[in-house]
Amino acid sequence: MCTLTARQGGAPVPAGSAVFGWGGAGPALADPPAAPAPAPEACPPLTLPSDLAAFAAHLEIRPASGARPLGGGPLAELLAWLRFTDRRPLDAGTLVVLADALPPGLFAVWTVPRPVPTAELTVHFTDALDAAPVEDRVLVRIRTEYAGGGWAVEDSALWSTTGRLLALARQARVLRNGSRAAHGDG
């Protein structure tokens, strides 16, 4: 296990840890099927406002369901095909970024943005990265499993275009009362 605490101006900022180990033979469970989604080419691109998600300018986002950020829908879940605009190869590092690239699942039910910073993010990779190169696009589902008491817990799954599960992620988010708009939802 490796741990890291980054400092900025002498104060600790992000902390991280990684666990490494050798894979090998052992019992397996079949990959959960990919979320039902149309082919990426059948999904129109979505551009997120830069004040909502500045990093999204580096991504091609193609929603694969009717849910949209700040769409006021019934489920706290977003599903989209993602890739970097420069079409860089996907590896463990880029998959970590894509696991956290979509807005929070809560944004699918909200109509006004609120600050929802990540407090902790854990990403677990499958052996699919070892088995074959990953295309430049992945299907990402992010779903809020719980929200209350100023916290939210979200799960993400990332699949290749061939339906292989690439990674699972879980994150804890802080729910803040503040809003970027003059008036917020309840």
Side-chain angles (χ1 to χ4, degrees), residues 80-175:
W81 291 102
L82 299 179
R83 72 173 163 194
F84 287 89
T85 55
D86 64 6
R87 297 189 182 187
R88 69 185 66 190
L90 298 180
D91 58 18
T94 54
L95 289 177
V96 168
V97 172
L98 294 178
D100 190 35
L102 286 176
L106 285 169
F107 273 44
V109 296
W110 290 345
T111 57
V112 174
R114 293 177 178 83
V116 188
T118 299
E120 186 258 342
L121 172 65
T122 302
V123 181
H124 298 275
F125 301 103
T126 70
D127 62 350
L129 288 177
D130 299 332
V134 178
E135 306 83 7
D136 66 346
R137 191 185 320 254
V138 294
L139 181 64
V140 178
R141 181 187 63 210
I142 187 164
R143 174 176 34 215
T144 303
E145 300 291 346
Y146 169 80
W151 290 90
V153 177
E154 293 199 315
D155 287 330
S156 298
L158 291 81
W159 291 275
S160 71
T161 56
T162 61
R164 290 283 321 262
L165 181 67
L166 301 170
L168 295 168
R170 174 162 273 203
Q171 64 183 297
R173 293 186 182 266
V174 178
L175 299 178

